[in-house]
Amino acid sequence: MDVAQVLHMNGGLGETSYANNSLIQRKVIWMTKAISKEAITEVYKSMQQVQVLPNPKCFCIAELGCSSGPNTLFIATELLKTLHQLSLRQGHHLPEFQILLNDLPGTDFNSIFLYLLPTFQTELIQELGPGFGPCFVSGVPGSFYTRLFAANSLHFVHSSYSLMWLSKVPEGLELNKDNIYMARESPKNVINAYYEQFQRDFSSFLKCRSEEIVVGGRMVLTILGRKSEKAASKECCYIWELLAQSLKEMVLEGKIEEEKLHSFNIPQYTPSPEEVRKEVEKEGSFGINKVEATEIRWAACGSWGLNEGYNVASCMRSVAESLVVEHFGESVIDQLFQKYENILSDCMSKEDNMFINVTVSITRRD
């Protein structure tokens, strides 16, 4: 599977679209917004000290793993408001702004520019006044594990719920069999293969961004992760174990070939705060300002009190459907996620499960 060509969140505005099933991602961005605002405030202050960071004519913000939906421009809007307030408070003239939206090529960029961008521009003018700007928005399709932007062109980079995706399915997973991700019973070599792929990918990500971000520029990255130092702990693997259970039921019913199940693996790694810290320090281009772990209930995928199993299954479908369709075909999708919904509903009626978020704020070193 060529992950860069296959993986994308569900496009459009329909019932199974990412746009309509990404409430929990928005809540996580909101939870970590203070860290992003603090980081961009420090970049702005450095701009006012020319010897630290020269005051640019254009301030450039990149959103990596932007997807398509109401979250795409959410943090950019909040950051622009922060910069506007800072400039008014200190009596400084703001530069022009450029927002660069990156995701893999299969992303529904058309919906961003047809439906989301006009609303974004209108709301900016209404809230900040016609004198604000100009603000230019561009789409940049491609893998963030490669170079995407010109050298020394970015001042601030944000990414949320994207960097847990790997550039490829790790090699050497043949013994993982009935599991589709790391599981508590996965062999040690499988766990190691996932971790080593994460190390290679995250190191590549940091190296590429180090060439693109100006000295003193910052990144705030939130990654779906774990608190435990055990890579296959329940807190990060259980959500995929339940999808694997749904697939196994379809194998028993003769609707999916067992060989297909055995060869399907999710290209994802959910790191601990310490693993993230270790990779940043090892790569060496960035200084760490903050690393923290937070948690949010699975049930936050939807509104309180509604069908929680349906909400989580719909969220996961909007995220993983492209991978499942590529491997198993489109004909099994509706039945698979109905089974998944039933399993999730039963599970969530008995226990309160959490997603763990690892957020790191880092600064480009000289």
Side-chain angles (χ1 to χ4, degrees), residues 18-28 71 300-303 315:
Y18 182 81
N20 283 325
N21 293 285
S22 53
L23 179 59
I24 193 167
Q25 289 89 337
R26 187 177 188 86
K27 290 176 180 177
V28 171
N71 304 334
C301 286
S303 301
C315 175

Side-chain angles (χ1 to χ4, degrees), residues 274-346:
E274 186 56 34
E275 287 174 342
V276 171
R277 179 187 297 277
K278 188 181 299 183
E279 292 307 311
V280 173
E281 291 175 346
K282 185 168 67 175
E283 195 279 331
S285 299
F286 295 89
I288 298 174
N289 309 309
K290 181 178 295 186
V291 182
E292 70 174 36
T294 56
E295 57 186 36
I296 188 168
R297 300 173 66 239
W298 287 9
C301 286
S303 301
W304 180 262
L306 297 179
N307 186 335
E308 293 180 344
Y310 171 80
N311 291 332
V312 177
S314 296
C315 175
M316 294 297 290
R317 176 173 179 169
S318 74
V319 167
E321 182 167 353
S322 61
L323 300 174
V324 178
V325 167
E326 172 70 15
H327 194 80
F328 296 103
E330 197 161 356
S331 62
V332 304
I333 293 298
D334 288 340
Q335 188 174 354
L336 171 62
F337 282 95
Q338 182 60 60
K339 287 181 179 294
Y340 193 35
E341 176 189 336
N342 296 339
I343 291 171
L344 283 164
S345 295
D346 179 63

Side-chain angles (χ1 to χ4, degrees), residues 194-205:
Y194 269 101
Y195 179 48
E196 289 165 7
Q197 187 62 49
F198 165 75
Q199 289 178 300
R200 287 190 292 270
D201 283 343
F202 195 45
S203 178
S204 295
F205 173 87

Side-chain angles (χ1 to χ4, degrees), residues 212-230:
E212 298 163 349
I213 298 175
V214 299
V215 172
R218 298 205 179 197
M219 286 202 290
V220 174
L221 315 171
T222 297
I223 310 169
L224 186 64
R226 66 183 198 277
K227 291 182 179 178
S228 170
E229 285 307 310
K230 294 183 179 179

